[in-house]
Amino acid sequence: MKRKLIIRISIGLNILLIAIVAWGIIKMNFVKEQVLVTEVQHNLVELEGLITNQVDENWSEPNLVTVELGDVLNGIWVGITTGEQIGTLSKSDKEILEKLYSKLNQYPKDELYRFVDLTEEDKKSFVELREILREVGLGINITISASMDSFMKQAEELVEKINSPIN
């Protein structure tokens, strides 16, 4: 009688423990995906929109583009770091994100306490980047999927399409 009760309690506790671990894993994956989708995918869409805006405005405020590029780069870095820390970033996803970081890091960006001055060649490179972003489905008025798999495919396409070096 006592033994049956102890076994039932043990089984119940094991099921509870499995449920808690599963919930934790789900939450960690959610955090990783939210960081990448919010901090990278959405910022890439904003970057595309800002480049379009600056072309339309004859590059009246080019630093809107360079600041947004900095936000994209920071988002990628946070995504890689977070994914590594919680152990939810696959080796292939990490490689894609590192390559994307490296490719985007070639573009002119602002430094601490100093805005970069864009040359005509820099502006041309950003316009080409805008076209590439739209080609892979990252742009204003384009429906984007908030799924991690979809975003990683877009990131991989970006890596393939962005020339290195850009000029």
Side-chain angles (χ1 to χ4, degrees), residues 18-57:
I18 290 168
I20 290 170
V21 169
W23 179 250
I25 290 169
I26 290 168
K27 282 175 60 176
M28 285 192 302
N29 278 326
F30 179 76
V31 167
K32 174 195 74 173
E33 289 184 19
Q34 283 304 109
V35 166
L36 290 172
V37 168
T38 305
E39 296 298 320
V40 182
Q41 186 181 48
H42 289 191
N43 283 341
L44 284 168
V45 170
E46 283 185 37
L47 178 62
E48 184 276 335
L50 284 168
I51 295 169
T52 301
N53 174 269
Q54 285 306 297
V55 169
D56 292 347
E57 299 289 323

Side-chain angles (χ1 to χ4, degrees), residues 101-143:
Y101 184 91
S102 176
K103 294 267 182 141
L104 292 174
N105 201 35
Q106 312 174 79
Y107 290 87
K109 63 205 154 301
D110 297 329
E111 295 174 15
L112 193 60
Y113 306 119
R114 190 178 76 77
F115 284 138
V116 70
D117 292 322
L118 294 183
T119 65
E120 288 306 311
E121 193 66 32
D122 294 337
K123 293 172 186 176
K124 184 178 166 215
S125 294
F126 274 119
V127 170
E128 290 170 5
L129 176 61
R130 178 199 168 265
E131 291 167 7
I132 293 169
L133 287 167
R134 290 197 71 77
E135 281 176 31
V136 303
L138 292 167
I140 300 293
N141 297 326
I142 297 176
T143 304

